[in-house]
Amino acid sequence: MQEILSKKDIGERIKALRTAQRLSQSKVADLLSISRSNYSQIELGNQFPSFNILNVIARYYSKSYNWLLHGKDREEQATDQIRGNAVIQELENTLETFNTLLKKLEKEILILKTSSHQY
């Protein structure tokens, strides 16, 4: 399923990286060769950072581009997908078992109804 990228979430992740390193917005903006105001708008989630800016941020903080966009690395996303598929399979199996038991119950009810009419 395609997820919608959130400017706000991306900005929050970028801000968290900066504050964890105790860097000022001005310092990071200089590193990115953009104005502090422009950088601030990215952190606030008012604008998407460009690919180049995301790439520089990812390299600077040793994070993946994917982590900046989604909050997870590809491996984590793949693991989540596998877990999701396992849950779906388990639910489908449970539903199949439930349907089988329901059919047995319907047969039992039918037997009880027909046997009660004979008396």
Side-chain angles (χ1 to χ4, degrees), residues 71-117:
K72 296 179 181 183
D73 289 318
R74 288 196 191 278
E75 296 81 24
E76 291 174 294
Q77 286 182 315
T79 301
D80 287 350
Q81 183 67 38
I82 290 168
R83 282 190 201 123
N85 289 343
V87 168
I88 289 169
Q89 184 63 50
E90 186 176 331
L91 288 171
E92 287 174 340
N93 292 342
T94 301
L95 182 59
E96 189 175 319
T97 301
F98 178 76
N99 283 331
T100 301
L101 292 172
L102 189 57
K103 287 176 184 173
K104 287 180 181 179
L105 181 60
E106 287 174 335
K107 287 178 184 176
E108 291 292 325
I109 290 171
L110 185 60
I111 291 169
L112 286 172
K113 281 183 177 179
T114 55
S115 65
S116 67
H117 289 301

Coordinates of all heavy atoms in Angstrom, one line a residue, residues 71-117:
G71 N 10.7 7.2 8.1 CA 10.9 6.9 9.5 C 11.4 5.5 9.7 O 11.5 5.0 10.8
K72 N 11.6 4.8 8.5 CA 12.0 3.4 8.6 C 13.0 3.2 7.4 O 12.9 3.8 6.4 CB 10.9 2.4 8.4 CG 9.9 2.5 9.6 CD 8.8 1.5 9.3 CE 7.8 1.6 10.5 NZ 6.7 0.7 10.3
D73 N 13.9 2.3 7.7 CA 14.8 1.8 6.6 C 14.1 0.8 5.8 O 13.1 0.2 6.2 CB 16.1 1.3 7.1 CG 17.0 2.4 7.7 OD1 17.1 3.5 7.0 OD2 17.6 2.2 8.7
R74 N 14.6 0.5 4.6 CA 13.9 -0.5 3.7 C 13.8 -1.9 4.4 O 12.8 -2.6 4.3 CB 14.7 -0.7 2.4 CG 14.6 0.5 1.5 CD 15.0 0.1 0.1 NE 15.2 1.3 -0.7 CZ 14.2 1.9 -1.3 NH1 13.0 1.4 -1.2 NH2 14.4 2.9 -2.1
E75 N 14.8 -2.3 5.2 CA 14.8 -3.5 5.9 C 13.6 -3.6 6.9 O 12.9 -4.6 7.0 CB 16.1 -3.8 6.6 CG 17.3 -4.0 5.7 CD 17.9 -2.6 5.3 OE1 17.7 -1.6 6.0 OE2 18.5 -2.6 4.2
E76 N 13.4 -2.5 7.6 CA 12.3 -2.4 8.6 C 11.0 -2.4 7.9 O 10.0 -3.1 8.3 CB 12.4 -1.1 9.4 CG 13.5 -1.0 10.3 CD 13.7 0.3 11.0 OE1 13.9 1.3 10.3 OE2 13.4 0.4 12.2
Q77 N 10.8 -1.8 6.7 CA 9.6 -1.8 5.9 C 9.3 -3.2 5.4 O 8.2 -3.6 5.5 CB 9.7 -0.8 4.8 CG 9.5 0.6 5.2 CD 9.5 1.6 4.0 OE1 10.3 1.5 3.1 NE2 8.6 2.5 4.1
A78 N 10.4 -3.9 5.0 CA 10.2 -5.3 4.5 C 9.7 -6.2 5.6 O 8.8 -7.0 5.5 CB 11.5 -5.8 3.9
T79 N 10.3 -6.0 6.8 CA 9.9 -6.8 8.0 C 8.5 -6.5 8.4 O 7.7 -7.4 8.7 CB 10.9 -6.5 9.2 OG1 12.2 -6.8 8.8 CG2 10.5 -7.3 10.4
D80 N 8.1 -5.2 8.3 CA 6.7 -4.9 8.6 C 5.8 -5.5 7.6 O 4.7 -6.0 8.0 CB 6.5 -3.4 8.6 CG 7.1 -2.7 9.8 OD1 7.5 -3.4 10.8 OD2 7.2 -1.4 9.8
Q81 N 6.2 -5.5 6.4 CA 5.3 -6.1 5.3 C 5.2 -7.6 5.5 O 4.1 -8.2 5.4 CB 5.9 -5.9 3.9 CG 5.1 -6.4 2.8 CD 3.8 -5.7 2.6 OE1 3.7 -4.5 2.8 NE2 2.7 -6.4 2.3
I82 N 6.3 -8.3 5.9 CA 6.2 -9.7 6.2 C 5.3 -10.0 7.4 O 4.5 -10.9 7.3 CB 7.6 -10.3 6.4 CG1 8.4 -10.3 5.1 CG2 7.6 -11.7 7.0 CD1 9.9 -10.5 5.3
R83 N 5.4 -9.2 8.4 CA 4.6 -9.4 9.6 C 3.1 -9.1 9.2 O 2.2 -9.9 9.7 CB 5.0 -8.4 10.7 CG 6.2 -8.8 11.5 CD 6.3 -7.9 12.7 NE 7.7 -8.0 13.2 CZ 8.5 -6.9 13.3 NH1 8.1 -5.7 13.0 NH2 9.8 -7.1 13.7
G84 N 2.9 -8.1 8.4 CA 1.5 -7.8 8.0 C 0.9 -9.0 7.2 O -0.2 -9.4 7.4
N85 N 1.7 -9.6 6.3 CA 1.3 -10.7 5.5 C 1.0 -11.9 6.4 O 0.0 -12.6 6.2 CB 2.3 -11.1 4.5 CG 2.4 -10.1 3.3 OD1 1.5 -9.2 3.2 ND2 3.5 -10.1 2.6
A86 N 1.8 -12.1 7.4 CA 1.6 -13.2 8.4 C 0.3 -13.0 9.1 O -0.5 -14.0 9.3 CB 2.8 -13.4 9.3
V87 N 0.0 -11.8 9.6 CA -1.2 -11.5 10.3 C -2.4 -11.8 9.4 O -3.4 -12.4 9.8 CB -1.3 -10.1 10.8 CG1 -2.6 -9.7 11.3 CG2 -0.2 -9.9 11.9
I88 N -2.3 -11.3 8.1 CA -3.4 -11.5 7.2 C -3.7 -13.0 6.9 O -4.8 -13.5 7.0 CB -3.1 -10.8 5.8 CG1 -3.2 -9.3 6.0 CG2 -4.1 -11.3 4.7 CD1 -2.7 -8.5 4.8
Q89 N -2.6 -13.8 6.8 CA -2.7 -15.2 6.6 C -3.4 -15.9 7.8 O -4.2 -16.7 7.6 CB -1.3 -15.8 6.3 CG -1.4 -17.3 6.0 CD -2.2 -17.6 4.7 OE1 -1.9 -17.0 3.7 NE2 -3.1 -18.5 4.8
E90 N -3.0 -15.5 9.0 CA -3.5 -16.0 10.2 C -5.0 -15.7 10.3 O -5.8 -16.6 10.7 CB -2.8 -15.5 11.4 CG -3.2 -16.1 12.7 CD -2.4 -15.7 13.9 OE1 -1.2 -15.3 13.7 OE2 -3.0 -15.6 15.0
L91 N -5.4 -14.5 10.0 CA -6.8 -14.1 10.0 C -7.6 -14.9 8.9 O -8.7 -15.3 9.2 CB -7.0 -12.6 9.7 CG -6.5 -11.7 10.9 CD1 -6.5 -10.2 10.4 CD2 -7.4 -11.9 12.1
E92 N -7.0 -15.1 7.8 CA -7.7 -15.9 6.7 C -7.9 -17.3 7.2 O -9.0 -17.9 7.0 CB -7.0 -15.8 5.4 CG -7.1 -14.5 4.7 CD -6.2 -14.4 3.5 OE1 -5.2 -15.2 3.3 OE2 -6.5 -13.5 2.6
N93 N -6.9 -17.9 7.8 CA -7.0 -19.3 8.4 C -8.1 -19.4 9.5 O -8.8 -20.3 9.5 CB -5.7 -19.8 8.9 CG -4.6 -20.0 7.8 OD1 -5.0 -20.1 6.6 ND2 -3.4 -20.0 8.2
T94 N -8.1 -18.4 10.3 CA -9.1 -18.3 11.4 C -10.5 -18.2 10.8 O -11.4 -18.9 11.3 CB -8.8 -17.2 12.4 OG1 -7.5 -17.3 12.9 CG2 -9.8 -17.1 13.5
L95 N -10.6 -17.4 9.8 CA -11.9 -17.2 9.2 C -12.4 -18.6 8.5 O -13.5 -18.9 8.6 CB -11.9 -16.1 8.1 CG -13.2 -15.8 7.4 CD1 -14.3 -15.4 8.4 CD2 -13.0 -14.7 6.4
E96 N -11.5 -19.2 7.9 CA -11.8 -20.5 7.2 C -12.2 -21.5 8.3 O -13.2 -22.3 8.1 CB -10.5 -21.0 6.5 CG -10.8 -22.2 5.6 CD -9.6 -22.6 4.8 OE1 -8.9 -21.7 4.3 OE2 -9.3 -23.8 4.7
T97 N -11.5 -21.6 9.4 CA -11.8 -22.5 10.5 C -13.2 -22.2 11.0 O -14.1 -23.0 11.3 CB -10.8 -22.5 11.6 OG1 -9.5 -22.8 11.0 CG2 -11.1 -23.4 12.7
F98 N -13.5 -20.9 11.2 CA -14.7 -20.4 11.7 C -15.9 -20.8 10.8 O -16.9 -21.3 11.2 CB -14.7 -18.9 11.9 CG -16.0 -18.3 12.4 CD1 -16.4 -18.5 13.7 CD2 -16.9 -17.7 11.5 CE1 -17.6 -17.9 14.2 CE2 -18.1 -17.2 12.0 CZ -18.4 -17.3 13.3
N99 N -15.7 -20.6 9.5 CA -16.7 -21.0 8.5 C -17.0 -22.5 8.5 O -18.1 -22.9 8.4 CB -16.3 -20.6 7.1 CG -16.5 -19.1 6.9 OD1 -17.4 -18.5 7.5 ND2 -15.7 -18.5 6.0
T100 N -15.9 -23.3 8.7 CA -16.1 -24.8 8.8 C -16.9 -25.1 10.0 O -17.8 -25.9 9.9 CB -14.7 -25.5 8.8 OG1 -14.0 -25.1 7.6 CG2 -14.8 -27.0 8.9
L101 N -16.6 -24.5 11.1 CA -17.3 -24.8 12.3 C -18.8 -24.3 12.3 O -19.7 -25.0 12.8 CB -16.6 -24.2 13.5 CG -15.3 -24.8 13.9 CD1 -14.6 -23.9 15.0 CD2 -15.4 -26.2 14.4
L102 N -19.0 -23.2 11.6 CA -20.3 -22.7 11.4 C -21.2 -23.6 10.6 O -22.3 -23.9 10.9 CB -20.2 -21.3 10.8 CG -21.5 -20.5 10.7 CD1 -22.1 -20.3 12.1 CD2 -21.3 -19.1 10.0
K103 N -20.6 -24.2 9.5 CA -21.3 -25.1 8.7 C -21.7 -26.4 9.5 O -22.8 -26.9 9.4 CB -20.5 -25.5 7.5 CG -20.4 -24.4 6.4 CD -19.5 -24.8 5.3 CE -19.4 -23.6 4.3 NZ -18.5 -23.8 3.3
K104 N -20.7 -26.9 10.3 CA -21.0 -28.0 11.2 C -22.1 -27.7 12.2 O -23.0 -28.5 12.4 CB -19.8 -28.4 12.0 CG -18.7 -29.1 11.1 CD -17.5 -29.5 12.0 CE -16.5 -30.2 11.2 NZ -15.3 -30.6 12.0
L105 N -22.1 -26.5 12.7 CA -23.2 -26.1 13.7 C -24.5 -26.0 12.9 O -25.5 -26.5 13.5 CB -22.8 -24.7 14.3 CG -23.8 -24.2 15.3 CD1 -23.9 -25.1 16.5 CD2 -23.3 -22.8 15.8
E106 N -24.5 -25.5 11.7 CA -25.8 -25.4 11.0 C -26.3 -26.8 10.7 O -27.6 -27.1 10.9 CB -25.6 -24.7 9.6 CG -25.4 -23.2 9.7 CD -25.0 -22.6 8.4 OE1 -24.4 -23.2 7.5 OE2 -25.3 -21.4 8.3
K107 N -25.5 -27.8 10.4 CA -25.9 -29.2 10.2 C -26.5 -29.8 11.5 O -27.5 -30.5 11.5 CB -24.8 -30.1 9.7 CG -24.4 -29.8 8.3 CD -23.2 -30.7 7.9 CE -22.8 -30.3 6.5 NZ -21.6 -31.1 6.1
E108 N -25.8 -29.5 12.6 CA -26.3 -30.0 13.9 C -27.7 -29.4 14.3 O -28.5 -30.1 14.8 CB -25.3 -29.6 15.1 CG -24.0 -30.4 15.0 CD -24.2 -31.9 15.3 OE1 -25.0 -32.3 16.1 OE2 -23.4 -32.7 14.6
I109 N -27.8 -28.1 14.0 CA -29.1 -27.5 14.3 C -30.2 -28.1 13.4 O -31.3 -28.4 13.9 CB -29.0 -25.9 14.1 CG1 -28.2 -25.3 15.2 CG2 -30.4 -25.3 14.0 CD1 -27.8 -23.8 14.9
L110 N -29.9 -28.3 12.1 CA -30.8 -29.0 11.2 C -31.2 -30.4 11.7 O -32.4 -30.7 11.7 CB -30.3 -29.0 9.8 CG -31.2 -29.5 8.7 CD1 -32.4 -28.7 8.6 CD2 -30.5 -29.6 7.4
I111 N -30.2 -31.1 12.2 CA -30.5 -32.5 12.7 C -31.4 -32.4 13.9 O -32.4 -33.1 14.1 CB -29.2 -33.2 13.1 CG1 -28.5 -33.6 11.8 CG2 -29.5 -34.4 13.9 CD1 -27.0 -34.1 12.0
L112 N -31.1 -31.4 14.8 CA -32.0 -31.2 16.0 C -33.4 -30.8 15.7 O -34.4 -31.3 16.3 CB -31.3 -30.2 17.0 CG -30.1 -30.6 17.7 CD1 -29.5 -29.5 18.4 CD2 -30.4 -31.8 18.7
K113 N -33.5 -29.9 14.7 CA -34.9 -29.5 14.3 C -35.7 -30.6 13.7 O -36.8 -30.8 14.0 CB -34.7 -28.3 13.3 CG -34.4 -27.0 13.9 CD -34.4 -25.9 12.8 CE -34.2 -24.6 13.4 NZ -34.1 -23.5 12.3
T114 N -35.0 -31.4 12.8 CA -35.8 -32.5 12.2 C -36.1 -33.6 13.2 O -37.1 -34.2 13.1 CB -35.0 -33.1 11.0 OG1 -33.7 -33.5 11.4 CG2 -34.9 -32.1 9.9
S115 N -35.2 -33.9 14.1 CA -35.5 -34.9 15.1 C -36.5 -34.4 16.1 O -37.3 -35.2 16.6 CB -34.2 -35.3 15.8 OG -33.7 -34.3 16.6
S116 N -36.6 -33.2 16.4 CA -37.6 -32.7 17.3 C -39.0 -32.7 16.7 O -40.0 -32.8 17.4 CB -37.3 -31.3 17.8 OG -37.4 -30.3 16.8
H117 N -39.1 -32.6 15.3 CA -40.4 -32.6 14.7 C -40.9 -34.0 14.6 O -42.1 -34.2 14.4 CB -40.3 -32.1 13.2 CG -40.1 -30.6 13.2 ND1 -41.0 -29.7 13.7 CD2 -39.1 -29.8 12.7 CE1 -40.5 -28.5 13.5 NE2 -39.4 -28.5 12.9

